[in-house]
Amino acid sequence: MPQPTDTANRQAQRGLILDFAGVLTADPRPTHRAWCESEGLHPEAWRATLNGNPEGRRLYAALEVGEIGQAEWNERTAALLGADVAPENLMGRAWAGVPAARRTAALARAAKDAGYRLALLSNSFGLEPFDPYEHAGVWSLFDVHVISEAAGIAKPDPAIYQLTLERLGLPAQACVFVDDHPVNLPPAEALGITTVLATHEAATVAELEGLLGVSAALPA
């Protein structure tokens, strides 16, 4: 959709809504491939199990909306990955090495300092025993947290975007939403939220700097 560029529109946008994985973290796929190899699995075993295996997809969808917890997911998904894969803290072992997106976090801090309200809108992959948001050091950055596990709904359900706006206390037209999955953007656009598809971190940060009128500065 057309993106606003003039000063008046920038000043009107007072909410920044960020996805987590692939936005506030680097692309997790290289880390997942390396982890699979360390476990003696095919490099694509993680994604094949979660995305290509019908039971793996079902379990992950159940985890996202809180129908099962991370510990149960660990147990049942480990069995799908292979007989020799230990279930203990499976999610944490696979995700702990994914780097945080430091420039995106710096952009979010600059926006907050400039008066924007910040919302984390994330499809959950569980909070216990491994909390990915605390691990990445971003939880305290946000004014509002909308995690699908707690909300009982997940992107791209339009209801989760409406819930985020309600918790922010802002109209859709005052907000910018960033996500790395194209399928998650149209429901936000339909509400009137300006959307940004996260690709490479530098390009995404540059686009947000132009939209929000702030500059990301990495801490020394």
Side-chain angles (χ1 to χ4, degrees):
M1 65 180 294
Q3 304 291 350
T5 56
D6 59 76
T7 301
N9 280 344
R10 284 201 302 269
Q11 291 174 344
Q13 292 165 356
R14 305 309 297 173
L16 177 61
I17 305 168
L18 297 178
D19 176 39
F20 176 68
V23 174
L24 287 159
T25 77
D27 182 345
R29 289 173 294 185
T31 299
H32 289 162
R33 292 186 191 109
W35 176 81
C36 286
E37 291 179 331
S38 76
E39 293 278 331
L41 301 170
H42 186 279
E44 296 299 329
W46 180 263
R47 296 191 70 80
T49 300
L50 273 59
N51 297 335
N53 182 305
E55 178 64 5
R57 290 200 307 270
R58 190 192 70 78
L59 287 172
Y60 200 84
L63 176 66
E64 283 186 325
V65 296
E67 292 176 359
I68 62 174
Q70 192 186 90
E72 181 180 349
W73 182 91
N74 287 341
E75 189 79 29
R76 297 173 69 178
T77 301
L80 297 178
L81 283 164
D84 296 328
V85 177
E88 288 78 16
N89 193 29
L90 174 66
M91 187 69 81
R93 298 195 336 261
W95 269 93
V98 177
R102 296 178 65 240
R103 289 192 64 189
T104 305
L107 182 283
R109 291 188 189 95
K112 191 170 187 177
D113 289 344
Y116 286 83
R117 283 179 56 74
L118 268 56
L120 176 64
L121 173 54
S122 173
N123 280 0
S124 179
F125 38 101
L127 295 167
E128 177 66 35
F130 175 72
D131 184 331
Y133 312 108
E134 290 288 1
H135 180 78
V138 299
W139 186 262
S140 62
L141 180 60
F142 291 90
D143 303 293
V144 168
H145 307 89
V146 182
I147 309 300
S148 64
E149 177 182 6
I153 46 177
K155 295 176 291 185
D157 188 324
I160 201 165
Y161 304 91
Q162 189 62 55
L163 176 63
T164 304
L165 294 173
E166 290 170 2
R167 291 187 179 176
L168 277 172
L170 292 170
Q173 293 76 12
C175 296
V176 175
F177 169 55
V178 187
D179 200 291
D180 64 323
H181 290 291
V183 70
N184 290 334
L185 301 181
E189 293 172 355
L191 291 171
I193 299 170
T194 297
T195 62
V196 172
L197 177 63
T199 52
H200 298 292
E201 184 180 13
T204 302
V205 168
E207 184 172 356
L208 287 171
E209 286 178 329
L211 278 171
L212 306 180
V214 302
S215 179
L218 287 172

